[in-house]
């Protein structure tokens, strides 16, 4: 499976010396509603094939899927045009916030479609964008309202949470992990 799903006429081709974020953002910016429909159909097709083998297709977002499309975003479009029996979503809270999206609101609007959360925080210095740029922070040291977000996740029945510290790393990994765990343990009660 590709990291980013795009129609065949918009291949993810990295030229020598090209920045991967610029390449991906450039392709995403050229995608039309028809291209996003192709992507949703691709996801449904792969989801059906995986379901036949006892597996489930899950989609993990980055900030670029929150590009405006119609009355919402491309991510809203993917949720609306994929079959809930075949496709679930792992909402990356950090990338959603990096794009200016409230993850608790997204979960409430798409109840039943988000099966897991990628837990990471974003620094107050982050400028909302859909260009795969994020100013990361350790969980609880950024701008995400974790009590609100975890309450929305609980109400929606989300039970799987994956903590990740996004690069660049400012502290040793085990120190960050310890602090992330301590913060989340305190918030989750």
């Amino acid at each position: 499976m590709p990291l980013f799903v795009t129609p065949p006429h918009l291949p993810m081709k990295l030229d020598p010396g090209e920045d991967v974020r610029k390449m991906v953002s450039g392709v995403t910016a050229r995608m039309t509603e028809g291209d996003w429909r192709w992507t949703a159909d691709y996801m449904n097709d792969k989801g059906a094939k995986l379901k036949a083998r006892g597996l489930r297709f899950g989609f993990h977002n980055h900030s670029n899927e929150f590009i405006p499309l119609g009355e919402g975003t491309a991510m809203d479009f993917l949720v609306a045009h994929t079959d809930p029996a075949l496709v679930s979503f792992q909402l990356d809270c950090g990338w959603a916030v990096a794009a200016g999206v409230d993850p608790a609101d997204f979960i409430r609007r798409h109840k039943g479609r988000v099966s897991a959360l990628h837990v990471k925080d974003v620094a107050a210095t982050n400028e909302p964008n859909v260009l795969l740029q994020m100013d990361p922070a350790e969980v609880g040291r950024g701008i995400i309202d974790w009590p609100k977000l975890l309450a929305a996740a609980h109400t929606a029945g989300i039970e799987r949470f994956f903590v990740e510290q996004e690069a660049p790393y400012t502290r040793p990994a085990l120190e960050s992990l310890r602090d992330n765990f301590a913060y989340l343990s305190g918030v989750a009660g």
Side-chain angles (χ1 to χ4, degrees):
M1 294 292 299
L3 180 59
F4 292 98
V5 179
T6 58
H9 71 278
L10 291 172
M12 291 281 180
K13 182 177 176 233
L14 191 62
D15 293 325
E18 185 178 14
D19 180 88
V20 69
R21 291 177 302 186
K22 284 186 178 182
M23 182 269 300
V24 171
S25 298
V27 170
T28 304
R30 291 192 307 273
M31 289 178 69
T32 65
E33 184 173 313
D35 294 327
W36 287 107
R37 181 170 297 284
W38 180 94
T39 302
D41 291 345
Y42 177 93
M43 292 164 65
N44 283 326
D45 177 63
K46 297 301 180 192
K49 290 175 180 170
L50 289 169
K51 185 176 182 177
R53 290 185 165 29
L55 299 170
R56 185 148 171 89
F57 183 96
F59 182 82
H60 174 281
N61 66 279
H62 294 85
S63 62
N64 57 307
E65 288 89 8
F66 291 103
I67 193 166
L69 184 70
E71 298 294 316
T73 68
M75 188 70 168
D76 294 320
F77 186 90
L78 291 175
V79 173
H81 290 89
T82 52
D83 184 339
L86 303 175
V87 177
S88 66
F89 293 85
Q90 179 191 60
L91 180 65
D92 188 310
C93 301
W95 283 119
V97 170
V101 173
D102 178 346
D105 178 59
F106 184 88
I107 291 166
R108 280 192 292 276
R109 288 188 295 111
H110 299 295
K111 188 175 179 184
R113 295 307 307 276
V114 178
S115 61
L117 295 184
H118 216 174
V119 177
K120 64 176 84 159
D121 217 330
V122 178
T125 56
N126 190 81
E127 292 289 330
N129 71 87
V130 293
L131 304 173
L132 292 172
Q133 296 174 352
M134 177 197 307
D135 293 343
E138 290 170 332
V139 177
R141 294 184 181 179
I143 59 174
I144 294 179
D145 183 342
W146 289 104
K148 174 184 163 187
L149 175 53
L150 294 174
H154 176 72
T155 299
I158 298 170
E159 298 178 342
R160 291 185 303 278
F161 303 82
F162 303 91
V163 178
E164 176 191 2
Q165 183 64 43
E166 194 76 31
Y169 310 110
T170 58
R171 299 175 53 214
L174 290 179
E175 285 180 25
S176 291
L177 179 63
R178 182 192 65 230
D179 291 349
N180 289 338
F181 179 79
Y183 176 78
L184 290 168
S185 295
V187 172

